[in-house]
Every structure is written in structure tokens, then in C-alpha cells.
Amino acid sequence: MFNLGDTLPNFQAETTIGTINLYDYLGDSWGILFSHPSDFTPVCTTELARVLTLMPEFDKRGVKVLALSCDSVDSHCKWIEDIQAVAGSSGEFPYPIIADEDRELAVLLGMLDPVEKDRDGLPLTCRAVFVIGPDKTLRLAILYPATTGRNFDEILRVIDSLQIVEKHQVATPVDWKAGEMCMVLPSVSDQDAACLFPRGVTVRDVPSGKSYLRMTPAPQP
Ligand code: BEZ
């Protein structure tokens, strides 16, 4: 199991675009790796179709997309036709799907769900989402059970937050969306905040009288 900030190990994998090496595939970009229990399953198909539709959003953020499912490359290639039909798209499929038939990678990356089992009683791969930073460290990990489809709008929202926090000394408040007010990090002094955030810092009054709710307009990402 990997913790936030851990460097993900490099690995080679068979995919729908041939053999890839994780680090070469990602280059200096951000990445998202998301896993699936198996091909031709209903929830997974809707998820991969959603990611297909959202590709311009991932591209805009400079995020390389990589899916994993525990079936063969041949099976993935046939499944892609269904995914494209569900997404209403055609042409070249824009992101690779790793074939993890023996679940070796799912085990390595801690993506198994011990509760959900396949027909042979083996644990299924859960719906894991890893966001990987340009330095190959794990920046976000969410594990969903196989029975709950992910919300990829939320994942894009978190990527927006991760990317703004990477560059500026801010945090993003509850339900934040790109462009909305950010919060000055508690570790930044008022004096430094005045220099770091020339667009201004507003302090929200709270009964404690402590001035820790410091808002500033979203810096340019
Ligand atoms: C699905 O993708 O629909 C699914 C896969 C495994 C278990 C439950 C649902």
C-alpha cells in the first residue's frame, strides 16, 4: 500500500498501445492511473466512457491517463468498441488500458478489494484512482468498492486543487472549484502573505478572534 508522498515504483505493462514503462509513459507530466475489476462489466464501461469524453479536460491539465483492468489486451481491444459506443465516439482510443490478467500490478499497487470476490472466490480489483505528480509521487489515492462508480468531475476538481497548491502557498476550501477563492496556508505569516498574494488577503471574523481564515483570490494556475 502506498501513502501520499511515496514514490510509485516504475513498472512495465502490456497495454492496448503495446508494452509501456510507467515512468516513460508519464514523462514529466502529471498522471492518473485508475483500476477496474474486469472488462465487459457495466459500471466499468460507463467509467471508461466518461473518461473518454473528459479527455480534453485531462489534456488541458497536462495529465496523462492510464487505465488498468484485469483481463487480456485482446479482451480490452474488443471492450473498447463498447466503451466508444457508450461514449458516442469513434476513432483511435486516446488512452491505454493495462492488461493485468494475473493481478500482479493490482497486488503491487494495493488495489485489491478483499470484500468483492470473483466467481473463483479471488478478490476483485477495486476502483482505485491514483493521481501521480510530475516527480512520480502519489498525490491522491481514492479507493471505491467495485459496486460504486467514480465521479470523474470530482477527480478533475482535485487535480485543479493539487496543481494550484503545487505552485502557490494556498489550500483550497470545502467544495472549491477552479477560479474560486483559496485559503492562505497556516504556515504563511501575515507579513509574507501580504507579499505573496498581491491581489489581497481577506480575514474572516470568527468567535475565537483568531485570524486563521485567510482568503485570497485564486492565483493563476
Ligand atoms: C461493474 O463494473 O459493473 C462491476 C464489476 C465488478 C463488481 C460489481 C460491478
Side-chain angles (χ1 to χ4, degrees):
M1 198 57 204
F2 293 93
N3 293 316
L4 296 185
D6 286 352
T7 301
L8 286 185
N10 197 9
F11 58 77
Q12 272 212 341
E14 297 309 314
T15 81
T16 46
I17 59 163
T19 306
I20 64 158
N21 166 297
L22 179 69
Y23 284 12
D24 288 345
Y25 177 69
L26 294 175
D28 294 330
S29 301
W30 288 77
I32 175 173
L33 169 64
F34 55 102
S35 62
H36 295 270
S38 53
D39 298 359
F40 301 103
T41 47
V43 177
C44 298
T45 306
T46 60
E47 289 187 318
L48 284 149
R50 178 77 181 131
V51 172
L52 179 52
T53 336
L54 287 173
M55 275 312 285
E57 296 300 322
F58 288 106
D59 288 343
K60 210 159 75 186
R61 290 160 177 83
V63 178
K64 293 275 180 72
V65 173
L66 186 54
L68 175 154
S69 180
C70 296
D71 284 300
S72 66
V73 169
D74 270 1
S75 167
H76 290 352
C77 291
K78 291 186 188 97
W79 188 30
I80 279 175
E81 292 173 24
D82 289 1
I83 295 163
Q84 288 181 312
V86 169
S89 88
S90 57
E92 197 180 332
F93 197 71
Y95 60 89
I97 308 175
I98 294 175
D100 191 27
E101 265 187 291
D102 52 12
R103 299 175 207 207
E104 205 177 297
L105 278 178
V107 171
L108 171 76
L109 299 170
M111 291 173 160
L112 287 187
D113 178 353
V115 178
E116 290 287 333
K117 306 238 168 62
D118 67 10
R119 288 193 191 110
D120 303 322
L122 291 172
L124 286 174
T125 303
C126 66
R127 296 181 198 285
V129 186
F130 287 178
V131 175
I132 306 162
D135 58 358
K136 316 291 180 295
T137 60
L138 183 63
R139 303 298 183 92
L140 172 85
I142 318 180
L143 303 183
Y144 296 72
T147 42
T148 303
R150 284 160 279 211
N151 181 331
F152 281 93
D153 290 324
E154 165 62 5
I155 291 158
L156 285 170
R157 189 194 74 86
V158 181
I159 290 170
D160 285 338
S161 171
L162 290 169
Q163 292 188 335
I164 208 164
V165 167
E166 170 97 341
K167 283 207 197 143
H168 305 279
Q169 296 193 52
V170 293
T172 60
V174 62
D175 295 339
W176 176 88
K177 291 197 196 70
E180 292 179 357
M181 296 287 278
C182 294
M183 311 199 88
V184 178
L185 283 184
S187 54
V188 175
S189 69
D190 286 341
Q191 213 174 20
D192 288 347
C195 299
L196 285 169
F197 306 109
R199 294 170 74 198
V201 175
T202 317
V203 182
R204 195 165 157 187
D205 282 336
V206 281
S208 68
K210 296 181 194 289
S211 54
Y212 61 98
L213 285 172
R214 297 177 297 173
M215 314 291 297
T216 189
Q220 289 306 309

